[in-house]
Amino acid sequence: MDNFYLLGIFAAMSLATMLTRSLPFVALAKVKNHSTLDQFGRLLPPMIMVVLVCFGLVSLEIESIDRGGLSALSFVVVIVLHAYFRNPLLSILVGTGVYVIGIQGFGL
Amino acid sequence: MTHPTASDFWEALRDSAPVMFGYIPLGMAFGVLFQSLGYHWLFAPLAGVIIYAGSAQFMSVGLLATGVSYTEAFIATLLLNSRHVFYGLSVLNRYPKQGLARWYLIFGLTDETYSLITAKPPEFSKNSRYFVYLTGLNHSYWVIGCGLGASLQSFFAFDSRGFEFALVALFLVLLIEQIRTMKERWVIVFAVCASILAYVLIPNQFLLAAIGLCLIVVIVGARRGEVDG
C-alpha cells in the first residue's frame, strides 16, 4: 500500500472540493449574468443526481437475476418509504438494510 | 451579536441532530468500504477531515482501487462536486466577509449544512458564531462516522458486503427531493439518456462522460432559451 499515493489523491480531492465550494465567493463579483448561473444551479443538480444513481447502479455489479431483483426491491423500498415519510435517514437505512440482508443473509 | 456563546452552541447542536443521524452511518459506510483497500484505518477519518465530501469520498474508493492519476482524481472530484458551485450563491450575503471563519464555512458547505443554513431566517446572517458551530458539528459527525466504520472493520472484521447500497440510496433520496421541487422535469429524461449513452460509449469514464453530456444539454438549453419547459 502506497501511503504517499493515497495522500496525493486525498490532497487533489481536497483541493477540488475547496475550489468548487469557494468559486462563487471568489468569482461572483465579476459575473453579471445571474440568470444563466441560476439556470445552471437549478438544472444541473438533479441531472447530476440521476447520473450518480446510475453510477451507483453500475457499481452494484448486478450480474445475476437474483441480484437484479434484490436491487429493484431495495430501490422500491427507498422510493416508497421516502414518498410516505420523507425522512432521508429512514429511507436510506431501511433500503440499505434490505439490500444487506439480501446479500449477506440470503447470499443473493 | 446578542446571542451568548452557550446558547449558540446548543442551538447548533439541536439543529444538527438529524445530520448526525445521517452522517454517522453514512460515514461508517465509507469507512467500511475504505477498509477494503487495505490502508491503515486512520486514513479514513483523515479523508473525512480534509476532503469532507460524501459522494466524492465514496468515489475515491473506486478511484484508488483502479489507481487513477492525481489529475484524474482532481477533475473527477471537481465535476462530481460542481453542484456546490451553486450553493455559494444563496449564502453569499449570510457569511462573514473575511477571516478564517469565512474560509472554514465555505470549505464545510455540504448539502446538509447548506440546507440547514438556508433554513434559518435572514436575521441569523449576523451570527457567524452559530454558523461555525453548525458547520463544525456536522464536520465532526462525518469524521467520527468515517473513523468508526474503518476502525470497527479493522478490529472486528465487520462484513461490509451490501453496504455500498447506502450511497445509491442517498443519491436516490436526494434525487426524489430535487424532483419534488423542480419545474423543468424534462431534464431528468435527458440525464437518463446521457447516462445510458455514456455507459454504452465510454463505460470506463462513465461519470465524466455522463456529467459532460448533462453540461452540454444545460449549456445548449440555456443558449437557445428553451428551458422554460
Side-chain angles (χ1 to χ4, degrees):
Chain A
M1 289 296 110
D2 186 350
N3 288 343
F4 183 78
Y5 169 69
L6 179 78
L7 289 175
I9 293 288
F10 280 5
M13 296 183 71
S14 179
L15 187 65
T17 302
M18 190 60 195
L19 265 179
T20 54
R21 289 178 186 165
S22 63
L23 195 68
F25 294 90
V26 176
L28 201 72
K30 291 169 185 165
V31 176
K32 297 282 185 286
N33 191 353
H34 284 247
S35 67
T36 306
L37 269 180
D38 285 348
Q39 214 152 47
F40 267 71
R42 221 176 50 244
L43 301 181
L44 209 49
M47 293 182 88
I48 289 177
M49 221 47 71
V50 170
V51 172
L52 290 173
V53 169
C54 295
F55 177 68
L57 274 177
V58 172
S59 71
L60 289 180
E61 294 173 351
I62 301 165
E63 68 265 306
S64 68
I65 294 171
D66 285 348
R67 184 71 72 89
L70 176 64
S71 303
L73 174 68
S74 310
F75 243 71
V76 171
V77 166
V78 173
I79 293 169
V80 169
L81 280 178
H82 204 67
Y84 278 98
F85 298 104
R86 227 181 156 175
N87 179 337
L89 178 63
L90 179 80
S91 318
I92 293 169
L93 282 187
V94 177
T96 307
V98 169
Y99 190 80
V100 169
I101 290 168
I103 295 277
Q104 296 190 9
F106 295 90
L108 294 179
Chain B
M1 204 73 80
T2 50
H3 300 261
T5 305
S7 83
D8 283 340
F9 179 80
W10 289 113
E11 182 157 4
L13 189 67
R14 198 192 60 210
D15 291 343
S16 67
V19 176
M20 175 172 73
F21 291 116
Y23 273 12
I24 289 184
L26 206 66
M28 286 179 73
F30 164 76
V32 168
L33 264 187
F34 179 81
Q35 279 314 101
S36 66
L37 294 168
Y39 289 100
H40 193 280
W41 70 270
L42 275 171
F43 283 115
L46 181 71
V49 171
I50 69 172
I51 302 176
Y52 190 33
S55 46
Q57 278 176 233
F58 278 102
M59 180 183 68
S60 80
V61 177
L63 296 179
L64 286 161
T66 50
V68 296
S69 69
Y70 300 140
T71 315
E72 280 176 295
F74 177 76
I75 292 171
T77 309
L78 216 53
L79 288 174
L80 185 59
N81 284 346
S82 59
R83 65 201 146 98
H84 286 149
V85 168
F86 310 106
Y87 289 1
L89 298 175
S90 40
V91 291
L92 273 172
N93 299 326
R94 292 175 171 239
Y95 273 15
K97 293 285 168 266
Q98 56 219 346
L100 201 63
R102 174 185 170 84
W103 291 103
Y104 178 64
L105 290 174
I106 292 171
F107 168 74
L109 193 57
T110 59
D111 306 54
E112 293 74 13
T113 306
Y114 170 79
S115 56
L116 286 178
I117 280 173
T118 49
K120 281 284 168 191
E123 54 264 32
F124 249 82
S125 57
K126 298 286 177 288
N127 193 353
S128 60
R129 199 185 292 272
Y130 167 83
F131 289 152
V132 172
Y133 284 136
L134 185 74
T135 306
L137 281 167
N138 286 350
H139 196 179
S140 65
Y141 303 145
W142 178 250
V143 173
I144 289 167
C146 294
L148 275 178
S151 59
L152 288 179
Q153 171 80 333
S154 294
F155 296 133
F156 303 106
F158 185 69
D159 189 351
S160 68
R161 285 175 304 138
F163 275 83
E164 64 273 19
F165 192 84
L167 171 67
V168 188
L170 168 74
F171 293 142
L172 193 56
V173 163
L174 290 174
L175 176 63
I176 295 168
E177 286 297 318
Q178 288 181 348
I179 290 175
R180 267 183 213 266
T181 56
M182 72 187 301
K183 289 195 201 107
E184 300 93 340
R185 293 187 177 154
W186 57 270
V187 297
I188 300 297
V189 180
F190 277 94
V192 172
C193 295
S195 302
I196 294 170
L197 202 62
Y199 184 66
V200 171
L201 296 179
I202 332 174
N204 295 336
Q205 291 292 336
F206 172 75
L207 218 48
L208 289 179
I211 294 176
L213 286 171
C214 291
L215 261 174
I216 292 170
V217 169
V218 175
I219 290 168
V220 170
R223 281 269 167 81
R224 298 177 69 181
E226 288 176 356
V227 284
D228 47 4

